[in-house]
Amino acid sequence: MVQPTPWQAGKTPQAQAVSPSRAAGGAPRRQVDIASTLATLRPLLAMLRPLLVLCRGNWGYLGAAIGSVITLYALFQPWVNASSTDGKIKATPFGKFEISSSLVALWSGSPPPAAKINGTWAVLACITIAVIIVAAVVNLRAHTQALSTLVMGSSIALSLFVVFALVHMNGKAPDVRNMVGNGPTRDLGSQVGMIVRWASGNSGYALPGVRRYTWTTAGLTSWAWFAGAMAVVSAVAAIAQWVRNRPAGPIQIPLRMPIVITRPSSGPAQPAPEPQQPSASPQPAPEPQQPSPAPRQASTEAASQQAPPEAAPQPAAPDPATKRPSPGPDQTS
């Protein structure tokens, strides 16, 4: 048996220590990796825990807000794409055009008219998206039924506005395609334009039966359909969350609203009487009082008789100093 050398003696225990882990398929090392990963993610989870608490009961409204942001981005993309004999054109729901043409009908007496796209539905959709985002963010802290209803109603309005914009753009697609046409074929200005284009080498002269031309008609792009689908999904998410959070019972919509008209009073306002609270035990009704048989004058006479009589005033005694003697018979004669 070969004895290990001094520099190999230190490597033998290390090899023996590694061999059990290899025999076990590396399980101890895998456990250490999982523990380290959890220790790394623990601070991140601690930071996200308050956010998860705020989002509890508002996931549908947050989904509606995120879908509204995506819909807003899709509104600024081309919704109509068309090509004709004189070029290509793209149009957005706001009425913005992107045209690539050689201006064949520039000298034409009756050039193709420009398509009139009404961007009202797109503008209303943008305003509604702003309302949805603000209401959903504020509702994370407030958690009120009014804001929840506002998010739900605005999401429904957004889906309707986007659908109306889709219908409007689909109706304007033929007018958008005519903007890149050659114009009237018998118009002198259009014929001059086609000859100049052929002479400059940009394209051939259009003759019947000579060449095969290929182009596509106007139609809605994938961005238009994507915006419509995203708006509908956002509305469904908001409605589902609103139905989940509302109390059980039938939905009651008030059809009548009371109207109270207050008029200013001429005199000073008097305080309203306080409502009397009903007593716990019923009290007997008071007996009716019978009128007294004696008239009012009899009561006054009885009162005068009961009072003590007043003493009559006596005449004062005459003063003896001032009294004169009466004249005698002699004096009178």
Side-chain angles (χ1 to χ4, degrees):
M1 182 175 179
V2 180
Q3 298 292 333
T5 59
W7 54 84
Q8 292 179 350
K11 297 182 179 180
T12 303
Q14 183 178 1
Q16 293 178 357
V18 175
S19 59
S21 63
R22 293 180 180 178
R29 181 178 298 176
R30 185 177 301 173
Q31 293 177 0
V32 172
D33 293 340
I34 294 175
S36 61
T37 304
L38 293 177
T40 305
L41 294 178
R42 191 171 299 170
L44 181 60
L45 294 177
M47 294 174 58
L48 294 178
R49 185 173 300 173
L51 182 59
L52 296 177
V53 173
L54 288 176
C55 296
R56 186 178 302 171
N58 290 323
W59 291 109
Y61 304 138
L62 288 178
I66 295 174
S68 301
V69 173
I70 299 174
T71 305
L72 179 64
Y73 177 77
L75 285 173
F76 291 91
Q77 303 301 320
W79 279 28
V80 173
N81 189 10
S83 61
S84 186
T85 56
D86 194 32
K88 299 179 180 181
I89 186 172
K90 297 178 182 179
T92 65
F94 293 96
K96 179 182 177 181
F97 299 99
E98 184 179 348
I99 305 173
S100 175
S101 174
S102 58
L103 301 178
V104 171
L106 181 62
W107 293 347
S108 174
S110 56
K116 297 180 180 180
I117 296 179
N118 189 3
T120 304
W121 299 119
V123 174
L124 291 176
C126 292
I127 296 174
T128 310
I129 289 171
V131 173
I132 292 173
I133 295 173
V134 173
V137 172
V138 174
N139 195 38
L140 290 177
R141 176 66 66 178
H143 293 281
T144 60
Q145 185 67 20
L147 290 175
S148 302
T149 307
L150 178 61
V151 175
M152 185 267 298
S154 300
S155 301
I156 296 175
L158 174 62
S159 62
L160 293 178
F161 293 154
V162 173
V163 170
F164 292 157
L166 281 171
V167 174
H168 178 70
M169 293 296 292
N170 189 40
K172 294 295 182 179
D175 297 338
V176 173
R177 179 182 176 274
N178 292 334
M179 292 177 62
V180 289
N182 290 333
T185 56
R186 297 183 180 182
D187 187 79
L188 180 60
S190 299
Q191 293 296 328
V192 172
M194 287 188 290
I195 293 174
V196 172
R197 184 181 60 181
W198 167 74
S200 59
N202 292 329
S203 179
Y205 186 79
L207 293 175
V210 177
R211 294 183 180 182
R212 184 181 298 274
Y213 296 92
T214 303
W215 66 85
T216 57
T217 59
L220 298 176
T221 62
S222 57
W223 282 110
W225 296 111
F226 177 73
M230 187 58 62
V232 173
V233 170
S234 301
V236 171
I239 294 173
Q241 188 66 57
W242 185 81
V243 173
R244 180 183 176 88
N245 293 348
R246 68 177 299 273
I251 301 175
Q252 298 180 358
I253 301 176
L255 299 179
R256 296 181 179 180
M257 298 181 63
I259 300 176
V260 180
I261 301 176
T262 58
R263 296 178 180 178
S265 58
S266 58
Q270 298 180 358
E274 298 182 356
Q276 298 180 358
Q277 298 182 356
S279 59
S281 60
Q283 299 179 359
E287 297 180 358
Q289 297 180 1
Q290 298 180 0
S292 58
R296 185 176 181 182
Q297 295 180 359
S299 61
T300 55
E301 291 178 359
S304 62
Q305 291 177 3
Q306 293 178 2
E310 296 179 356
Q314 297 179 4
D319 192 359
T322 58
K323 186 177 180 182
R324 295 180 181 180
S326 57
D330 298 334
Q331 294 178 358
T332 56
S333 61

